[in-house]
Amino acid sequence: MARWLRKAGLLLGRGRFRRELDEEMTFHRAQAAQELVDGGMKPEAARTAAMRRFGNTTRLREQSEEMVGFRVETVWQDLRFAGRQLRKNPGFGLTAVLILALGMGVSVAIFGFVDAALIQPLPYAQPNRLLSVDESSATTPRSNLSYADYQDWKRLNKSLSSLDVHQGTGFLLRGSSGVVPVPGARVSDGFFSTLGVHMMLGRGFLPGEDLAGKPKIAILTYGTWLKRFSGRRDIVGQSVNLSGDSYTVVGVLPREFAFAPRAIVEVWTPLLELNGCEQRRSCHDIDGIGRLRDGVTIESARAEMNAIATQLAIQYPGSNKGQGADVAPLAEIIIGPMRPILLTLLGAAGLLLLIACVNVASLMLVRSESRQREVAVRGALGATKMRLARQFVTEGLLLAAAGCAVGLLSAAWMMKMIIKLAPKQMVDNVPFLSNVGLNGHTMLFAGAVALGAALLLAATPTLRLAGQNVQATLAEGGRGAAGRFWQRLGMNLVVAELTVAVVLLAGAGLLGKSLYRLLHVEMGFEPSHLATVQVMAPQTTYAKPEQLLALYREIERRMSALPGIQSAGITSDLPVQCNCDTDWIRIVGKPFHGEHNEVNERDVSADYLRTLRVRLIRGRTITEADDATKPQVVVINEALAKKYFRGEDPIGQKIANGALDPKSIREIVGVVADVREGGLDQDLWPAEYESIYYGPGNFISVAMRTSQDEKTVLPVLVSTMHTIDPNLGVFG
């Protein structure tokens, strides 16, 4: 309402201005005529001469109004005229709008991801003060912390106001519909306080609640609270059954909470009892986050942590020699790997937008050539170049606005489609994807892009207008030097467009080449007709090794007996996942100076490598006889043999941990081809394959070789697992 009142005021004020202007011009014409009469001219002739001297009244009025202020009503006239022009040439209008919509839609869609990942701050209190704190070595720039080192770092440092840790785990949640596996995390007591996160319901963990012997408590994520507990507000204080133990729910996290390193976690619990790894300084399985004290820089905190690491290396050379600290902004750890990819995509989208704008500018140039006579006639009738330029700007704005509107609709659709097409594992591990969409940032970006496109579209005919000679155009129809100049400009626009297109095509070709190489990386096993499933056994039911071994053998027996299943094997980690779950080895009988000889460690059953069809190069693989009652054996890959036994036969040689603990000594009995345990774009690491029968665990992965489409057997696999034990958690 206020806007329309302002417009009405402008119109009323303009009416008064016109009356005063007419009175002023009438007065000046009368004065001029009187001067001529006083000079001896007849009154009628004096009035005619005064009119001639004064000039075109209509044109003077328009010029005066343009000098005094912007004419609001002419905007509507320009818009109506621009609309008529587009209706008159629907092919041109539709083509221009669709080209602009394509360029703008892609640009806005990619910017939506850039905004969510790189521009919007992390959803924590003062996120720029948060750090990722881990350890490092010459071979591993960033690795997990050991619990003992974490305790020393927390006690000795003066740069951090708090230092806490987190570690991934999982639980079997028992509900009314049965047992379901849920991903979880164990954290120190101040974890959520360090992040600056407040619970939506209940409270966070209190100091000391992460110590052994304290009550078992849990915090739920917002999604789990809604999905598993129907959003009950009385859930706080209630007990839930996790892996056979009773945990009291003390809080529910807010809806917007997301922690990328543990993105899929549903249940958070305190550390409480330490596992076997956490009781050894040499074992690393937790990650740290810290908050800088006021006035302390990241560089000084990093220097202090490295000084503490050096002190611990002197104090504990057997486990800490050569170790340093990796201290970096938490935001860099979370989004750093994605930054070059997103910026590359945004640059490519920008080039596509530039091509679209040049395309439409070329169309505008061709169209302006066909409108030369029209423009010349309008100029001859009194239209100023400023007035004509304003008409062209209006047409450019109209085209850009239409392209932007269609582009925004296509951008919203593209963003949803990209998220749907992305692998579920990627979506689960990238929580910022939930923030992707049309918001204030993307709308502002779209507006800026539309304005830039409008200026570019208006500039072409406006510059063409500046060099136009009205008389020559009316006489010759625009043929001449000026026409040749604009023809050359059109050719230059085509050259520029082709140049940008070649750059974009070359970039797309390089990305396609990289994708082709990833898809053709040698993995060391046969991935087709291979079905996998992950299983979690409740600790209350399978607390003893012999119970787990019996479960393993029953799973392999039942899976192998299913129709369409040729063989089945069990492992602690499936291939093509990560270079993680590592072991630091020492070659028995060879010089050792505290080096960190880090290799991937995989616990496997007797039929696992055969199920994957991994090529045996020398010796033998694991058998069912390799259990805790026999001396330990190990199978190594070619990379380990080449690195540590170059020119030697590794069969019969022995490896152990850095302390040469007799319990850790294993004899090498076989060498297999390299299996890519890490990602397709990661280096191939040395690896060792031990018998899973030595120390069975509650988390396993089962691989099955099928004689048919592996997707068709997955439902049968899950149902068969539950017939073995309905309390098994089956996922992945």
Side-chain angles (χ1 to χ4, degrees):
M1 179 62 73
R3 182 161 57 92
W4 289 107
L5 288 174
R6 286 196 299 272
K7 282 189 175 182
L10 288 172
L11 292 173
L12 291 174
R14 187 169 293 107
R16 184 170 58 253
F17 168 77
R18 287 175 178 172
R19 289 193 300 272
E20 293 175 354
L21 180 63
D22 288 341
E23 292 174 359
E24 186 75 13
M25 288 192 295
T26 301
F27 171 77
H28 284 291
R29 283 197 299 270
Q31 287 292 103
Q34 186 61 45
E35 290 178 1
L36 293 174
V37 170
D38 293 343
M41 187 177 291
K42 292 182 179 180
E44 187 65 30
R47 283 194 296 272
T48 302
M51 290 284 291
R52 189 181 302 112
R53 182 191 301 177
F54 203 79
N56 188 303
T57 302
T58 303
R59 184 168 183 176
L60 286 173
R61 182 183 293 114
E62 288 184 353
Q63 290 176 341
S64 299
E65 289 179 347
E66 288 176 354
M67 291 176 63
V68 171
F70 184 76
R71 299 180 59 188
V72 176
E73 66 271 20
T74 59
V75 173
W76 178 242
Q77 295 173 2
D78 290 344
L79 285 173
R80 285 190 300 176
F81 183 77
R84 288 199 302 269
Q85 289 292 321
L86 293 179
R87 287 195 300 272
K88 183 180 177 182
N89 299 279
F92 163 78
L94 184 61
T95 302
V97 169
L98 289 179
I99 292 174
L100 287 174
L102 174 63
M104 290 184 181
V106 173
S107 299
V108 173
I110 298 301
F111 177 79
F113 288 89
V114 173
D115 170 59
L118 306 182
I119 298 177
Q120 295 189 31
L122 297 177
Y124 314 123
Q126 294 182 299
N128 59 319
R129 309 294 294 173
L130 289 173
L131 301 178
S132 169
V133 183
D134 285 292
E135 295 191 84
S136 67
S137 65
T139 57
T140 310
R142 179 172 174 264
S143 65
N144 303 117
L145 276 166
S146 75
Y147 185 80
D149 288 343
Y150 153 65
Q151 291 287 355
D152 288 334
W153 284 16
K154 183 174 183 177
R155 175 174 53 86
L156 296 174
N157 92 86
K158 306 297 181 185
S159 302
L160 306 179
S161 60
S162 61
L163 176 61
D164 289 275
V165 291
H166 55 95
Q167 186 236 0
T169 186
F171 299 100
L172 291 174
L173 174 63
R174 181 180 295 277
S176 57
S177 58
V179 175
V180 292
V182 294
R186 299 165 63 233
V187 299
S188 53
D189 54 10
F191 178 79
F192 293 110
S193 297
T194 294
L195 291 178
V197 175
H198 301 284
M199 298 299 121
M200 184 198 73
L201 293 177
R203 62 171 178 85
F205 298 136
L206 301 178
E209 286 190 325
D210 60 346
L211 301 177
K214 293 292 183 178
K216 293 184 176 182
I217 56 178
I219 289 176
L220 306 177
T221 62
Y222 183 87
T224 302
W225 174 62
L226 286 181
K227 179 181 178 181
R228 312 283 188 193
F229 301 97
S230 305
R232 289 167 40 205
R233 300 190 69 86
D234 63 346
I235 190 64
V236 175
Q238 300 295 317
S239 295
V240 295
N241 189 295
L242 298 175
S243 300
D245 293 322
S246 179
Y247 284 74
T248 301
V249 177
V250 297
V252 177
L253 286 160
R255 182 174 189 170
E256 64 275 9
F257 173 79
F259 187 65
R262 307 290 174 202
I264 62 173
V265 165
E266 295 191 33
V267 180
W268 300 79
T269 66
L271 287 171
L272 299 180
E273 289 79 12
L274 303 182
N275 58 35
C277 175
E278 290 157 1
Q279 294 175 19
R280 305 194 309 271
R281 186 178 289 272
S282 60
C283 192
H284 300 242
D285 72 334
I286 57 177
D287 292 283
I289 60 166
R291 181 172 288 277
L292 279 174
R293 293 186 186 276
D294 293 338
V296 179
T297 64
I298 295 177
E299 290 73 19
S300 60
R302 184 182 298 118
E304 184 187 32
M305 289 300 180
N306 274 302
I308 296 174
T310 301
Q311 178 182 337
L312 294 177
I314 297 172
Q315 190 173 355
Y316 306 102
S319 59
N320 288 57
K321 185 177 180 180
Q323 284 188 178
D326 179 76
V327 179
L330 182 62
E332 186 63 29
I333 298 300
I334 292 176
I335 65 176
M338 292 177 285
R339 180 179 286 110
I341 299 174
L342 290 173
L343 293 182
T344 299
L345 290 175
L346 185 62
L351 291 178
L352 181 62
L353 176 62
L354 181 59
I355 291 175
C357 290
V358 172
N359 258 317
V360 179
S362 300
L363 292 175
M364 294 286 286
L365 179 61
V366 173
R367 188 162 175 265
S368 66
E369 287 291 316
S370 66
R371 296 177 64 187
Q372 288 187 70
R373 182 171 292 275
E374 171 205 329
V375 173
V377 170
R378 292 178 65 187
L381 292 176
T384 64
K385 289 187 176 182
M386 181 64 69
R387 181 69 182 82
L388 294 172
R390 202 165 71 200
Q391 175 63 49
F392 290 135
V393 170
T394 303
E395 292 180 11
L397 284 172
L398 185 61
L399 280 175
C404 184
V406 179
L408 282 174
L409 294 176
S410 63
W413 177 80
M414 285 184 212
M415 285 186 264
K416 292 180 180 178
M417 286 302 299
I418 291 173
I419 294 175
K420 287 182 179 179
L421 292 174
K424 185 178 184 302
Q425 184 178 3
M426 177 186 293
V427 174
D428 289 341
N429 286 280
V430 185
F432 74 78
L433 289 179
S434 61
N435 298 326
V436 174
L438 296 180
N439 52 34
H441 289 174
T442 51
M443 296 297 287
L444 187 63
F445 176 80
V449 168
L451 181 60
L455 293 176
L456 179 61
L457 299 183
T460 303
T462 301
L463 292 175
R464 177 71 180 88
L465 175 67
Q468 183 173 342
N469 185 298
V470 174
Q471 293 181 347
T473 302
L474 289 173
E476 303 178 13
R479 298 184 299 272
R484 288 194 296 272
F485 170 78
W486 290 102
Q487 288 174 3
R488 288 196 297 270
L489 176 60
M491 289 187 290
N492 290 333
L493 284 175
V494 173
V495 170
E497 182 180 350
L498 288 174
T499 302
V500 176
V502 168
V503 173
L504 189 59
L505 185 62
L510 291 173
L511 288 173
K513 185 178 180 181
S514 298
L515 177 60
Y516 177 84
R517 287 181 174 178
L518 282 176
L519 294 177
H520 290 79
V521 168
E522 179 59 45
M523 292 188 286
F525 67 96
E526 178 54 55
S528 62
H529 294 290
L530 194 64
T532 62
V533 67
Q534 292 174 284
V535 180
M536 182 179 177
Q539 294 180 352
T540 52
T541 307
Y542 301 93
K544 297 179 180 180
E546 53 269 23
Q547 294 172 321
L548 286 169
L549 289 176
L551 174 65
Y552 291 176
R553 290 189 169 93
E554 182 64 12
I555 288 175
E556 286 187 312
R557 186 186 69 81
R558 295 284 293 276
M559 293 297 108
S560 300
L562 289 174
I565 302 296
Q566 297 176 346
S567 64
I570 297 175
T571 180
S572 57
D573 298 271
L574 290 168
V576 199
Q577 300 295 316
C578 62
N579 288 320
C580 56
D581 292 337
T582 59
D583 183 27
W584 288 350
I585 66 171
R586 175 177 174 180
I587 313 300
V588 177
K590 289 193 175 184
F592 181 71
H593 306 288
E595 302 91 349
H596 288 166
N597 301 322
E598 190 170 12
V599 301
N600 282 323
E601 179 187 359
R602 301 294 182 261
D603 300 327
V604 301
S605 68
D607 287 334
Y608 173 72
L609 294 175
R610 181 173 66 87
T611 298
L612 263 60
R613 294 184 179 173
V614 177
R615 183 168 55 92
L616 177 64
I617 297 174
R618 196 177 308 162
R620 67 174 179 87
T621 59
I622 301 298
T623 68
E624 288 193 13
D626 297 319
D627 58 24
T629 64
K630 307 289 195 309
Q632 296 187 57
V633 298
V634 66
V635 175
I636 64 174
N637 67 351
E638 279 188 290
L640 193 152
K642 291 177 180 178
K643 183 173 182 178
Y644 298 107
F645 300 99
R646 185 174 297 275
E648 304 177 61
D649 184 1
I651 302 298
Q653 301 213 44
K654 296 180 179 181
I655 60 178
N657 61 18
L660 278 185
D661 183 353
K663 294 181 179 179
S664 70
I665 296 177
R666 293 96 72 196
E667 180 183 348
I668 299 174
V669 296
V671 179
V672 296
D674 293 329
V675 174
R676 193 165 291 276
E677 301 291 347
L680 297 179
D681 59 341
Q682 294 179 323
D683 295 335
L684 193 64
W685 276 30
E688 59 181 8
Y689 299 91
E690 297 185 359
S691 172
I692 201 169
Y693 310 125
Y694 291 146
N698 294 79
F699 291 89
I700 58 171
S701 297
V702 184
M704 288 143 287
R705 175 68 56 186
T706 68
S707 58
Q708 59 194 58
D709 184 359
E710 57 271 21
K711 298 184 182 64
T712 61
V713 302
L714 291 177
V716 179
L717 298 180
V718 175
S719 61
T720 304
M721 287 288 183
H722 285 148
T723 61
I724 295 173
D725 186 342
N727 293 321
L728 291 178
V730 183
F731 59 102

